[in-house]
Amino acid sequence: SNPPGRRGMGDGRIDVSSLRRNLDHYAVKGMARPWTAKPQREPEAGGGPPSLLELCTDAIAQQLHAIPHVGEVLPHHILKEVLDRRRNQSITDGDVPLLLSTTFEVVPPDQVDYLSFKNCHKVTSDGIKVVFDNCPALTSLDLSFCELVGDDALKGLAGRCPGLRELDLTGCRTVTDEGCAHLARLRGLEGLRLELCNKVTDAGVQAVVRGAGPSLRELNVGDVRQMTNVSVQIIADHCTNLTSLSIAGNAQALDMDVADVCRKCLGMQSLNLRACRRLTDGCLKPISAMLRGQHRRGIPALRALDLGGCGRLTDDALCNMLPLCSSLTLLDLRGCRNLTQRSRDLVDKYCPHMNELTFPKLEPPPP
């Protein structure tokens, strides 16, 4: 079937038709376009030779710029895989209008709800503003590792895309507290990733959670190095509907902060406390209490727990918690040097659904 017709863009909008006529001129540069498909996990090393489908999608992805009307001939699920295999590192601000125009060959502008500019290192806030002006229906946007995208872009995003629900700003190192204050206007925001945003402080994190906290389901503030444990307490107070939280690398987080989160966020299914080095056995007690409450209420229980690098945890404390961990599918305990074979055996006994277990290397028993 033919792709849906494009509507007029109005003043200040992209002229899709004229851009499409210039496609061949741009295509000789071998440019990539932003992903319009959710990123898929890369195949594991040693997983065998690529399938015929993978070889074909790779070939199409490499020559996508030279294939006319590809949206008319490829099934939608194949097209998503092809777009997902494009590389974004060479995209610049000047390329963004063209890339949007080719995206609009597949999906009309007023129906584009997801775009990914992951690893577009050369794209700046000015380039991203073109996206907001032409894709008002965006609900999910991946800007991870767009290191030149900053506060101005977030101001435009909050004003032009009020329906945004998911935003990934991982590694956006120019984003500051000012940008976070703009995000507080997105009262329907459900997922936010600020990992490695090292210019963000307590003020920025707290502005977001005070504004968008009630709607947030996923929050990643891992390695936000200027964030203190005070913000963890504010997160617990305002984000009671969280199902996923990462405060990995927070050097100030204490057992009582974990207790606040576990007591107030009973729907938690993924908790990342990696490298929170001040945590002790005391953090396992509120996690146990949360698990007990989830099981008692019959609601989805914690599935992923990352305690890697929490070197103060002891074997006895972990063994006391493990009988409640039947729901866990992921457990990371790397760097927990005080654990023994006893806790490793209890993981096997009480965690029948475990898919990913990272356990510290154990010393062999004496001869």
Side-chain angles (χ1 to χ4, degrees):
S1 60
N2 292 327
R6 296 185 297 274
R7 301 180 182 180
M9 301 299 289
D11 294 339
R13 300 295 186 96
I14 297 174
D15 183 348
V16 176
S17 299
S18 64
L19 285 169
R20 182 63 188 172
R21 287 195 295 270
N22 291 326
L23 178 59
D24 291 337
H25 168 72
Y26 285 91
V28 297
K29 300 180 182 179
M31 294 190 318
R33 57 185 42 78
W35 296 338
T36 56
K38 292 284 188 179
Q40 304 294 319
R41 177 175 294 183
E42 294 292 332
E44 295 181 3
S51 67
L52 179 59
L53 176 60
E54 291 171 333
L55 291 172
C56 290
T57 51
D58 276 338
I60 295 171
Q62 292 172 13
Q63 302 297 325
L64 189 61
H65 55 275
I67 304 175
H69 308 296
V70 66
E72 299 180 32
V73 296
L74 286 181
H76 185 62
H77 68 285
I78 298 295
L79 182 62
K80 290 177 66 178
E81 181 67 20
V82 167
L83 291 170
D84 191 45
R85 289 171 183 265
R86 296 292 285 174
R87 296 186 180 275
N88 290 355
Q89 288 89 337
S90 62
I91 295 176
T92 65
D93 287 351
D95 303 329
V96 173
L98 172 68
L99 303 179
L100 286 179
S101 75
T102 56
T103 298
F104 297 159
E105 290 288 332
V106 182
V107 184
D110 58 354
Q111 294 182 23
V112 175
D113 60 357
Y114 174 84
L115 285 174
S116 173
F117 287 84
K118 183 176 182 178
N119 292 322
C120 290
H121 307 302
K122 299 179 181 180
V123 173
T124 71
S125 293
D126 290 337
I128 295 299
K129 287 177 183 178
V130 178
V131 176
F132 308 152
D133 289 341
N134 293 278
C135 303
L138 274 180
T139 60
S140 181
L141 180 63
D142 187 345
L143 297 175
S144 54
F145 301 102
C146 293
E147 297 180 351
L148 301 180
V149 173
D151 297 337
D152 287 345
L154 301 187
K155 180 179 180 180
L157 175 63
R160 301 301 296 272
C161 300
L164 196 73
R165 295 199 300 268
E166 298 178 7
L167 179 61
D168 192 339
L169 296 173
T170 301
C172 292
R173 299 181 184 274
T174 59
V175 170
T176 72
D177 294 339
E178 180 184 348
C180 291
H182 295 306
L183 296 181
R185 297 158 53 193
L186 297 171
R187 297 308 173 93
L189 194 63
E190 297 178 2
L192 177 62
R193 298 180 181 180
L194 292 170
E195 188 174 11
L196 297 172
C197 292
N198 290 330
K199 290 188 177 181
V200 174
T201 71
D202 281 331
V205 174
Q206 292 174 27
V208 172
V209 301
R210 290 180 191 277
S215 63
L216 280 174
R217 300 294 186 273
E218 176 187 353
L219 180 61
N220 187 335
V221 286
D223 288 311
V224 179
R225 296 179 183 177
Q226 297 190 63
M227 188 189 91
T228 70
N229 64 316
V230 174
S231 288
V232 180
Q233 299 167 20
I234 302 298
I235 289 169
D237 289 337
H238 292 271
C239 304
T240 55
N241 293 314
L242 281 178
T243 60
S244 176
L245 174 65
S246 173
I247 59 170
N250 191 302
Q252 297 189 29
L254 301 172
D255 296 340
M256 66 177 184
D257 303 318
V258 177
D260 283 344
V261 170
C262 291
R263 184 172 64 255
K264 298 176 182 179
C265 305
L266 198 57
M268 191 69 67
Q269 297 182 48
S270 176
L271 184 59
N272 188 342
L273 304 174
R274 178 182 294 190
C276 294
R277 302 186 186 280
R278 297 184 69 178
L279 297 183
T280 71
D281 290 344
C283 77
L284 300 185
K285 294 179 181 179
I287 296 175
S288 298
M290 179 181 70
L291 283 163
R292 192 177 293 110
Q294 290 173 331
H295 295 320
R296 184 170 62 247
R297 290 170 171 81
I299 61 178
L302 189 69
R303 293 183 294 107
L305 179 61
D306 192 337
L307 295 167
C310 298
R312 298 185 180 187
L313 302 182
T314 67
D315 200 55
D316 287 343
L318 182 64
C319 289
N320 289 336
M321 184 184 74
L322 284 173
L324 297 166
C325 294
S326 60
S327 58
L328 283 184
T329 61
L330 181 152
L331 179 61
D332 194 325
L333 296 166
R334 72 187 73 191
C336 298
R337 300 178 299 274
N338 299 321
L339 304 185
T340 69
Q341 186 63 44
R342 176 187 170 212
S343 55
R344 179 64 182 84
D345 292 340
L346 290 182
V347 170
D348 292 337
K349 179 178 180 180
Y350 291 113
C351 305
H353 305 295
M354 187 67 66
N355 293 325
E356 299 181 49
L357 174 64
T358 306
F359 205 86
K361 184 178 179 180
L362 298 174
E363 295 296 330

